[in-house]
Amino acid sequence: MDISIAIEDVLFREEVRDFIQEHYPSYLHDKIAKSEELTKEDFLVWHRILHKKGWIAPSWPKEYGGPGWTSVQRFIFNEELSAAGAITTMPFSLTMLAPVLMQYGNEKQREYFLPRILSGEDWWCQGYSEPGAGSDLASLRMPAVRDGDDYVVNGSKTWTTFAQFADWIFCLVRTNSDGKKQMGISFLLIDMKTPGITVRPIRTLDGGYDINEVHFENVRVPIENLVGEENFGWTYAKALLSHERGGIADVARSEVAIKALRKIATTELSDGGPLIENTIFSKKIAELEIDLLALKYLELRAVFNEKSDDLGPNVSILKLKGSEVQQRIGELRLEAVGYYGFPFKYGPQTSNTAIFPVGPSYTQFAGPSYFNLRKTTIYGGSSEIQRGIVAKSVLGL
Amino acid sequence: MDLSFSEKDFMFREEVREFIRTEYPGDLRRKMKQGKEFAKEDFLCWQRVLYNKGWAAPSWPVEYGGTGWSATQRYIFQEELGQAATLNILPFGLKMLAPVLMAYGSDYQKGYFLPRILTGQDWWCQGYSEPGAGSDLASLRTSAVKDGDEYVVNGSKTWTSFAQWADWIFCLVRTNSMVKKQAGISFLLIDMKTPGITVRPIITIDGMHEVNEVFFDNVRVPIKNRVGEENMGWTYAKTLLSHERTGTAEVPRSKYGITSLKKNARKHISNGKSLLEDEYLSNKLAQLEIDLLALEYSDLRVLSDDFLGKKGTGAEPSILKIKGSEIQQRVTELALEITGYAGFSSLGGPLPMESNAYPTGPGFGFGAGSEYFNMRKSTIYGGSNEIQRNIIAKTVLGL
Amino acid sequence: MDFSFSEEQELYRATVSRFIQNQYGLEARQKIVNSDLGMSRENWQQFADLGLLAIPFAEEYGGLEGSAVDTMVVMEEFGRGLVIEPYFETVIFSGGILSIGGSNEQKQQYIPRIISGECIFATAFAESQSRYNLADIKTTAKVRNGGFILNGKKSVVWAGPWADYLIVTARTSGSQFDEKGVSLFLVDKNSEGISLKNYPTIDGGRASEISFENVELSDESLLGHIDDGFDLLEAAVDRARAAICAEAVGAMKALHETTLDYVKLREQFGVPIGNFQVIQHRMVDMLIAYEEAVSITYMATLHLDHPVEERQKSVSAAKAKIGQSARYIGQEAVQIHGGMGMTDELNVGHYFKRLTMIDVSLGNQDYHVRRFADLTQ
Ligand SMILES: Cc1cc2nc3c(=O)[nH]c(=O)nc-3n(C[C@H](O)[C@H](O)[C@H](O)COP(=O)(O)OP(=O)(O)OC[C@H]3O[C@@H](n4cnc5c(N)ncnc54)[C@H](O)[C@@H]3O)c2cc1C
Ligand SMILES: Cc1cc2nc3c(=O)[nH]c(=O)nc-3n(C[C@H](O)[C@H](O)[C@H](O)COP(=O)(O)OP(=O)(O)OC[C@H]3O[C@@H](n4cnc5c(N)ncnc54)[C@H](O)[C@@H]3O)c2cc1C
């Protein structure tokens, strides 16, 4: 047992840090600090910079344009991005779709789509969930019926993140409704510009707009956009779920967030002194930091485990604890700003007179982000589902 | 809505207070203070005092020797006993068996057993749980087979509290295994002196001997000791469970617990300050006290609905039990926390009666470890908290 | 000891409940929230016509002499309906200060106009640095011949945009944290030197940042005694706290009911999700949290007229407990609704937001646990 880091890795960390410092667009820092809404272009600006450097897809094999890093390097890279508070790169294409294409896509699909993912030319969204199929994803119903060289797709997907920006959507669709529900699902790549697709925005309780309903009405999808074999989509999608390594717990981002929280609590006052000196509040931050530390070592143990490249059920545990920590940070941030949690930047646009931020600039993010973070225990497999997985796969229950 | 007690209730409270002050045996008070173990005779002594006053069974009908008190008076009585930290009279005979006998027992059973329960002449224990039947009590298997005028009982009961002191045990036994499991159970009263009964002590994590295994090897029980009809025992046992609507929360005891926690925390000096001035600790205490207040008023609401003859959902005792047991556990948890290292010294449980040793560490710390471990039982027995949640989910929420 | 409601209280409950059922569905409510004004004057007039605005006031000013339990019932129902109109701000909070501390003339002048629905009040007590400390006041009122000059800033004044009159806390002597030296003033919002920045709040209401620049006040604007306004303020704030506890109770009840309906309806894996024991036990724990909240809110409400320390202790116990249960029930309701819980289109998120902000209002859980500890140890 040894928690020291190899000298190459230390140097690598330096290199990453320097690069970010030099090349990360500073206007993005401002925008995030002011909690302004991010545009598609904002994501793409940073994407292109990383692409140019050859670092946009750390987990891809070299042959497809990955940097050929070790798992430790990838971990460090992620940490540094988070520590710098950099805008996230899009997971849907880079870490969700691409591995499926590499493994199950045909030559043509790989050649066409992968470079476009790498360059950021195509923005992808994930069309899995349906109104009737959330936790029980395999019960999805959206049919794709063969008609000549096309599939005709009808139905709707929901909760689709950033569908409003997307050029393409990868969908699970039903191609057979006899037999076991997992067996009749296919994996389709659908151009969002195809006639018959409409996107309806869903506003979330925090006033934000990231998610959508996507409706399909007689949408024709060429058969060549089927990934792998018909009716095997479930297997492909599941393989993809276990691909994501490290970063699931978002430890580094949470560390940064706690640091920021401490800063807020140093500025905010309570009975004339800094809030951070309030015994109870500082104890809560301390407890949170302790939990985060435990989580960090849980993650390190999983990532640095040489015996296996598969995180297995650790993914579930990391996701569970990571999302809870994120939520608690949000909770404390809201607590820290006191009454300034009230002003609502994304409230009704009427002839109001106030200019936001109403309180200090860090306050306007506190309310919305608290409410927004409730999503983290719901999406990507809810906490209940993750516990179900651990109970089954680890405990044999 | 109105919180005040009537003049009559106030006077009653005074009377109770006065009674406890003058009549509660000083010997017991001393033992409690010194953290000594209580003997069977201690319980009996206090019960006799209550009996002589006519207060041994507040909830019994007057005809059987009850007090005829109103629900409020019974509440006040419990509250005063709790606040004075008197020894808890065990419920097995007075509160568990007696109502069943009154409702379903034969004239002989009522005439013979009830007076002996009231005076404390017979010590009863409860023989329900078995190694294979805990939460799923109806799956019990101890068998009773008719043979002439007797049942022959074979099998074993477990977790039987104070079986080591008992003169009698009331048991659920299987008299028919061909029907639905609830439909083949009978309710038997068994003399502990009957040949074939052996009691094996179980020492619990707090080092104490409270529970036992009771083995039955061809134990012959006269048929006249069966309560009600054969195979109807499950119904009888179930009605008994819903008898006490309030009181399951043990609010008065927890109140006393918190009062002494505060007293002790005030005495304990750490870093030159009393523990009560420690913000973390006093916050935890305050949170606990607030939760207890909420529980107390829930208890009172249930009581007041009673007054108006409004029927609740039937799940109130479950709610009160869940919260009450959690709070009891938190009281002991904080007590251990306040005690610090001295908590180690009391892991073996209260000192045996004959001991003349003094507890190490601060006097109040004595027993804290033991009580903390012991109190884990409160969320397990009497229907575990998980089972209570199942009951509420079904009966109140319709899930 | 009696926890039953009087006939009159049942009538209030039925009246408000009917109003909400018929006129205050989520859609109607959101229309009001998103309107330019952000509240409905028609609804306000209806409250006046129904007599709701008169409940807690003395008969001599046209009131109904209602008790705190009467307004508790109304607040509970408003909580169920997520009512935006400033009943709490005008009738309970400012109205409370007026009733407890106003002179006969002041009451004569203003209470009938509150009761008729003619004017709305807001209380401006918080400042950007003050958090929950009611005595942390920098705003000053300097004595000038025949009156005062008011200077300073107040933050997050609920219902500020709608108010005709403000009750403002200001320092007439002492230093920033002293209780002695706090005075209360009744100020016409249109007075010279007052400027407001109005904005929507995250729970659907409206609030203002208000600055006072050399605002001239007459002697008649002083509420209660000079320098001795703190006790009056605290008494009214405690009543206001008990009232929002009741509002929270109503919101929690509605949220629990909605969630319970949902778990019976929503199917995944071929069964209603309410069949999973994990969900069942959490629905039970939410129910228990709700029942505890009810109990402790009754307790606090019934202690409002008890001696000061008992009042403070009871109110803090309730507000602390409510903060805890409101957070628990709100978070769980969203979680159990899954993606649906995250949308703006369901009432779940709106209840959750209001419940969250109730914890923040007038002292959060930590603040009240501490206040309770200080009073009891
Ligand atoms: C902000 C956000 C972004 C999203 N982005 C996308 C996206 O881009 N693409 C996409 O396809 N989907 C997306 N989702 C959907 C997400 O994956 C689903 O919300 C999630 O799978 C849960 O499904 P559901 O919302 O239908 O909840 P349900 O499955 O209906 O669950 C409701 C509740 O029941 C619980 N539950 C369900 N089954 C069980 C069980 N067996 N045991 C115990 N408890 C159970 C759940 O944990 C939850 O608490 C997004 C969701 C959100 C909130
Ligand atoms: C100190 C003590 C004194 C006792 N005294 C007596 C006595 O005098 N007489 C007597 O008859 N009995 C007595 N008992 C026994 C007591 O009633 C049982 O312990 C209790 O019924 C639980 O049964 P079990 O111990 O077999 O646990 P189990 O039933 O095996 O339960 C184990 C765990 O599983 C959980 N569980 C079980 N079923 C479910 C379900 N359907 N859903 C979710 N969770 C579930 C339980 O809640 C528990 O956490 C005593 C117990 C203790 C600890």
Side-chain angles (χ1 to χ4, degrees):
Chain A
M1 255 196 220
D2 177 11
I3 54 165
S4 62
I5 300 201
I7 185 73
E8 319 77 90
D9 291 332
V10 174
L11 291 174
F12 176 74
R13 190 186 287 279
E14 292 287 303
E15 185 189 353
V16 173
R17 197 173 288 177
D18 290 346
F19 177 80
I20 295 172
Q21 197 152 42
E22 198 168 325
H23 295 280
Y24 186 76
S26 59
Y27 89 93
L28 283 177
H29 278 312
D30 294 345
K31 248 185 141 166
I32 290 173
K34 290 191 196 135
S35 75
E36 284 175 31
E37 216 147 342
L38 297 167
T39 64
K40 181 174 175 177
E41 188 52 27
D42 291 332
F43 286 97
L44 287 175
V45 166
W46 180 226
H47 184 109
R48 290 191 204 106
I49 295 171
L50 285 171
H51 173 54
K52 209 171 130 209
K53 175 80 178 167
W55 286 1
I56 186 63
S59 57
W60 289 22
K62 246 185 146 143
E63 52 185 305
Y64 293 116
W69 288 339
T70 63
S71 62
V72 173
Q73 283 178 311
R74 295 204 299 269
F75 180 78
I76 290 172
F77 180 67
N78 248 325
E79 268 203 335
E80 287 305 314
L81 284 182
S82 307
I87 193 169
T88 49
T89 54
M90 292 150 301
F92 299 113
S93 53
L94 288 163
T95 55
M96 292 185 157
L97 175 61
V100 173
L101 289 182
M102 291 174 200
Q103 211 174 333
Y104 306 105
N106 59 35
E107 197 64 38
K108 219 172 124 194
Q109 288 166 344
R110 283 195 295 251
E111 269 171 21
Y112 181 75
F113 290 114
L114 290 179
R116 298 168 65 94
I117 288 175
L118 213 54
S119 68
E121 199 166 345
D122 288 339
W123 183 293
W124 283 88
C125 66
Q126 179 197 34
Y128 282 11
S129 305
E130 297 180 7
S135 300
D136 180 16
L137 187 57
S139 69
L140 62 90
R141 282 207 290 224
M142 190 165 89
V145 180
R146 273 289 270 277
D147 180 31
D149 286 343
D150 293 334
Y151 284 103
V152 181
V153 179
N154 274 293
S156 41
K157 292 290 173 184
T158 191
W159 316 125
T160 323
T161 303
F162 292 138
Q164 73 268 38
F165 298 158
D167 304 299
W168 287 82
I169 181 169
F170 55 98
C171 282
L172 291 177
V173 295
R174 185 149 302 280
T175 38
N176 186 348
S177 32
D178 305 331
K180 233 180 120 209
K181 57 188 181 180
Q182 285 82 358
M183 296 305 296
I185 293 171
S186 299
F187 198 113
L188 279 190
L189 312 174
I190 307 180
D191 187 336
M192 287 293 281
K193 286 182 293 296
T194 324
I197 296 184
T198 45
V199 174
R200 190 188 78 85
I202 302 176
R203 222 166 108 100
T204 41
L205 79 169
D206 55 308
Y209 165 36
D210 291 347
I211 55 181
N212 305 271
E213 285 176 342
V214 184
H215 300 282
F216 298 79
E217 205 190 322
N218 289 320
V219 173
R220 301 192 77 89
V221 181
I223 285 174
E224 60 192 42
N225 286 355
L226 172 74
V227 174
E229 285 178 56
E230 194 174 271
N231 295 333
F232 275 84
W234 185 253
T235 320
Y236 309 153
K238 278 201 75 172
L240 164 167
L241 289 174
S242 58
H243 248 277
E244 179 80 357
R245 297 203 46 141
I248 298 157
D250 260 330
V251 169
R253 280 191 196 272
S254 289
E255 282 174 344
V256 174
I258 290 182
K259 227 183 266 165
L261 172 63
R262 278 190 173 284
K263 222 166 105 190
I264 292 174
T266 313
T267 317
E268 283 288 318
L269 298 176
S270 169
D271 293 324
L275 178 63
I276 195 81
E277 283 169 21
N278 175 300
T279 340
I280 298 306
F281 193 82
S282 71
K283 179 188 176 220
K284 284 201 210 171
I285 296 191
E287 281 170 347
L288 190 54
E289 282 182 317
I290 291 166
D291 287 349
L292 184 58
L293 208 57
L295 181 63
K296 181 176 183 159
Y297 275 78
L298 198 66
E299 187 177 59
L300 289 174
R301 275 172 57 210
V303 171
F304 286 78
N305 178 4
E306 279 150 31
K307 281 189 222 97
S308 162
D309 209 40
D310 187 3
L311 287 186
N314 279 323
V315 173
S316 292
I317 296 172
L318 290 171
K319 200 255 165 182
L320 257 172
K321 293 317 275 180
S323 54
E324 284 170 6
V325 167
Q326 284 174 284
Q327 291 183 339
R328 279 165 60 201
I329 296 172
E331 212 170 301
L332 285 189
R333 198 161 42 214
L334 182 60
E335 251 180 78
V337 304
Y339 285 123
Y340 277 123
F342 272 96
F344 189 31
K345 184 182 175 183
Y346 306 114
Q349 299 299 314
T350 54
S351 49
N352 295 303
T353 53
I355 298 163
F356 284 88
V358 173
S361 65
Y362 55 78
T363 61
Q364 67 175 349
F365 178 52
S369 75
Y370 168 74
F371 293 110
N372 182 270
L373 282 167
R374 302 315 302 173
K375 74 186 177 191
T376 60
T377 48
I378 296 171
Y379 65 15
S382 72
S383 295
E384 291 73 26
I385 295 300
Q386 304 295 352
R387 287 192 175 90
I389 292 171
V390 176
K392 205 168 151 187
S393 64
V394 183
L395 307 177
L397 292 172
Chain B
M1 246 190 223
D2 177 12
L3 275 187
S4 47
F5 283 126
S6 69
E7 192 57 32
K8 204 174 128 239
D9 292 335
F10 271 122
M11 278 163 55
F12 175 73
R13 177 165 38 205
E14 278 315 307
E15 188 188 352
V16 173
R17 248 177 223 178
E18 181 61 18
F19 165 72
I20 296 172
R21 208 166 48 79
T22 54
E23 306 282 326
Y24 186 66
D27 199 31
L28 298 186
R29 206 163 276 168
R30 262 190 306 281
K31 265 191 164 170
M32 174 85 80
K33 251 204 185 118
Q34 293 169 353
K36 295 228 171 131
E37 197 177 344
F38 289 100
K40 180 178 178 181
E41 184 45 36
D42 294 328
F43 290 91
L44 291 178
C45 163
W46 176 215
Q47 186 170 342
R48 270 195 301 272
V49 173
L50 285 166
Y51 173 74
N52 289 336
K53 176 81 179 173
W55 288 0
S59 56
W60 287 20
V62 182
E63 52 188 300
Y64 292 116
T67 52
W69 287 340
S70 67
T72 309
Q73 284 176 311
R74 294 206 300 270
Y75 184 88
I76 291 171
F77 183 61
Q78 283 310 321
E79 168 100 3
E80 292 306 316
L81 290 183
Q83 299 267 16
T86 60
L87 189 57
N88 241 344
I89 297 296
L90 292 162
F92 303 109
L94 286 163
K95 289 193 181 161
M96 294 182 156
L97 177 61
V100 174
L101 288 184
M102 289 175 203
Y104 307 105
S106 65
D107 285 342
Y108 151 71
Q109 288 164 347
K110 284 189 269 201
Y112 180 74
F113 291 113
L114 289 177
R116 298 167 66 94
I117 290 176
L118 205 57
T119 56
Q121 195 167 345
D122 289 338
W123 184 290
W124 282 88
C125 66
Q126 179 198 33
Y128 283 12
S129 305
E130 295 181 10
S135 299
D136 181 15
L137 186 58
S139 68
L140 61 92
R141 282 204 294 222
T142 294
S143 67
V145 179
K146 244 196 200 139
D147 181 28
D149 284 347
E150 290 170 332
Y151 285 103
V152 181
V153 178
N154 275 291
S156 58
K157 294 288 173 182
T158 190
W159 315 125
T160 322
S161 299
F162 300 108
Q164 71 269 35
W165 294 342
D167 305 298
W168 287 82
I169 181 169
F170 56 98
C171 282
L172 291 178
V173 294
R174 182 149 307 281
T175 37
N176 187 345
S177 40
M178 310 303 284
V179 289
K180 213 175 137 234
K181 58 185 179 180
Q182 286 83 356
I185 293 171
S186 299
F187 198 115
L188 285 190
L189 311 174
I190 308 180
D191 188 335
M192 287 294 281
K193 287 180 293 294
T194 323
I197 297 183
T198 44
V199 175
R200 189 188 77 83
I202 300 173
I203 304 301
T204 41
I205 46 175
D206 53 331
M208 297 286 287
H209 175 205
E210 181 175 320
V211 290
N212 303 271
E213 281 179 314
V214 183
F215 299 96
F216 299 84
D217 185 17
N218 288 319
V219 173
R220 302 190 78 88
V221 181
I223 286 180
K224 66 170 189 199
N225 285 353
R226 185 191 71 218
V227 175
E229 288 175 53
E230 191 173 85
N231 294 329
M232 291 293 288
W234 184 253
T235 319
Y236 307 153
K238 277 199 74 171
T239 52
L240 168 166
L241 290 173
S242 57
H243 245 275
E244 285 289 309
R245 296 234 304 158
T246 65
T248 42
E250 296 277 9
V251 171
R253 303 254 155 213
S254 292
K255 262 195 197 168
Y256 174 81
I258 290 178
T259 309
S260 36
L261 273 180
K262 279 198 218 167
K263 219 165 68 199
N264 297 337
R266 199 171 288 125
K267 277 194 252 164
H268 197 122
I269 307 295
S270 159
N271 289 329
K273 278 193 310 191
S274 109
L275 263 184
L276 210 53
E277 291 166 74
D278 177 281
E279 230 179 294
Y280 299 144
L281 191 94
S282 66
N283 260 48
K284 277 195 211 174
L285 260 168
Q287 188 68 61
L288 184 59
E289 202 174 341
I290 289 169
D291 290 347
L292 183 60
L293 265 173
L295 182 65
E296 182 183 2
Y297 277 80
S298 296
D299 215 9
L300 288 169
R301 278 169 62 211
V302 173
L303 185 74
S304 137
D305 284 353
D306 241 2
F307 275 158
L308 303 165
K310 254 194 240 160
K311 255 275 148 282
T313 56
E316 290 87 351
S318 293
I319 294 185
L320 297 177
K321 199 250 164 181
I322 290 176
K323 277 290 141 192
S325 57
E326 286 174 1
I327 286 176
Q328 284 174 283
Q329 291 184 340
R330 281 164 62 201
V331 171
T332 61
E333 205 172 318
L334 269 186
L336 183 60
E337 214 175 304
I338 289 173
T339 307
Y341 287 127
F344 279 102
S345 67
S346 53
L347 290 190
L351 296 169
M353 278 171 287
E354 60 279 0
S355 166
N356 58 0
Y358 277 99
T360 38
F364 62 78
F366 189 74
S370 187
E371 271 170 28
Y372 167 71
F373 294 111
N374 181 272
M375 202 45 83
R376 301 318 297 173
K377 72 187 177 189
S378 69
T379 49
I380 298 171
Y381 66 15
S384 75
N385 284 16
E386 290 75 24
I387 296 299
Q388 304 296 347
R389 286 188 173 89
N390 289 349
I391 293 172
I392 299 168
K394 202 167 149 190
T395 59
V396 187
L397 304 179
L399 290 173
Chain C
M1 183 91 31
D2 166 21
F3 284 90
S4 62
F5 293 102
S6 68
E7 249 171 64
E8 205 164 34
Q9 287 156 356
E10 295 292 4
L11 191 68
Y12 289 142
R13 189 185 291 288
T15 306
V16 181
S17 162
R18 204 173 322 115
F19 162 78
I20 283 158
Q21 237 163 23
N22 297 338
Q23 299 176 44
Y24 224 83
L26 181 66
E27 212 176 305
R29 188 237 188 205
Q30 287 312 93
K31 217 169 133 191
I32 297 170
V33 167
N34 292 318
S35 69
D36 207 57
L37 182 63
M39 67 166 277
S40 157
R41 295 272 178 203
E42 293 78 58
N43 285 343
W44 194 248
Q45 196 48 55
Q46 213 175 330
F47 293 173
D49 297 344
L50 290 170
L52 300 177
L53 304 182
I55 293 176
F57 297 110
E59 219 176 315
E60 50 189 312
Y61 311 111
L64 294 170
E65 298 268 3
S67 67
V69 177
D70 296 348
T71 44
M72 178 186 85
V73 168
V74 173
M75 286 302 291
E76 247 183 71
E77 293 304 314
F78 279 167
R80 288 180 68 112
L82 282 171
V83 168
I84 287 298
E85 283 70 23
Y87 188 83
F88 167 72
E89 290 83 350
T90 300
V91 176
I92 306 283
F93 197 174
S94 299
I97 295 176
L98 258 175
S99 289
I100 303 170
S103 66
N104 198 23
E105 293 76 47
Q106 285 166 328
K107 291 183 193 175
Q108 278 307 354
Q109 193 178 347
Y110 296 104
I111 291 178
R113 293 167 66 202
I114 291 178
I115 291 175
S116 70
E118 186 192 326
C119 59
I120 287 174
F121 270 70
T123 307
F125 64 96
E127 299 186 358
S128 63
Q129 83 289 347
S130 68
R131 198 165 297 269
Y132 307 124
N133 184 343
L134 295 169
D136 184 349
I137 296 172
K138 287 184 178 169
T139 299
T140 57
K142 294 243 158 63
V143 183
R144 277 272 184 94
N145 45 352
F148 303 87
I149 300 285
L150 187 65
N151 273 295
K153 286 195 171 76
K154 293 290 173 182
S155 296
V156 196
V157 180
W158 304 312
W162 307 320
D164 304 290
Y165 295 95
L166 304 169
I167 293 178
V168 184
T169 63
R171 188 156 289 295
T172 37
S173 72
S175 59
Q176 195 181 335
F177 305 97
D178 294 344
E179 289 176 8
K180 181 82 186 169
V182 173
S183 303
L184 302 178
F185 297 93
L186 196 159
V187 182
D188 186 333
K189 199 176 83 177
N190 292 320
S191 312
E192 193 136 348
I194 298 183
S195 56
L196 278 86
K197 287 185 192 149
N198 302 330
Y199 49 85
T201 57
I202 200 157
D203 53 357
R206 297 290 161 97
S208 312
E209 302 294 290
I210 305 184
S211 71
F212 303 91
E213 227 175 300
N214 294 321
V215 179
E216 294 188 22
L217 303 177
S218 68
D219 266 341
E220 287 78 60
S221 61
L222 178 69
L223 279 162
H225 300 289
I226 189 161
D227 290 345
D228 284 334
F230 188 80
D231 289 347
L232 161 60
L233 175 66
E234 226 203 5
V237 167
D238 271 347
R239 300 185 92 79
R241 283 167 175 149
I244 39 170
C245 286
E247 185 191 346
V249 161
M252 284 188 251
K253 181 166 178 106
L255 197 46
H256 189 260
E257 283 170 358
T258 305
T259 311
L260 185 59
D261 288 343
Y262 191 73
V263 303
K264 290 179 179 172
L265 224 85
R266 170 70 174 171
E267 292 195 6
Q268 288 289 277
F269 304 100
V271 293
I273 55 174
N275 280 25
F276 301 123
Q277 196 182 47
V278 163
I279 302 284
Q280 288 178 358
H281 282 198
R282 280 153 70 174
M283 291 306 303
V284 169
D285 287 341
M286 287 164 73
L287 173 75
I288 294 177
Y290 162 72
E291 286 296 343
E292 288 187 282
V294 172
S295 299
I296 207 140
T297 299
Y298 289 0
M299 187 274 293
T301 307
L302 291 168
H303 278 89
L304 286 175
D305 295 320
H306 282 222
V308 174
E309 277 214 8
E310 266 193 64
R311 179 199 80 208
Q312 294 172 328
K313 184 187 120 177
S314 308
V315 165
S316 276
K319 189 67 178 45
K321 191 76 203 162
I322 290 289
Q324 184 187 37
S325 37
R327 174 181 310 137
Y328 177 69
I329 290 176
Q331 292 181 348
E332 288 290 76
V334 170
Q335 181 68 20
I336 291 173
H337 275 84
M340 291 304 289
M342 289 298 298
T343 70
D344 200 44
E345 292 158 17
L346 230 63
N347 57 16
V348 174
H350 297 286
Y351 282 118
F352 175 39
K353 286 194 277 186
R354 180 60 193 145
L355 284 171
T356 304
M357 299 327 282
I358 284 178
D359 179 39
V360 175
S361 303
L362 304 177
N364 67 0
Q365 185 188 349
D366 285 352
Y367 171 85
H368 283 288
V369 169
R370 195 60 242 157
R371 185 172 179 242
F372 182 88
D374 288 339
L375 287 160
T376 52
Q377 287 170 7

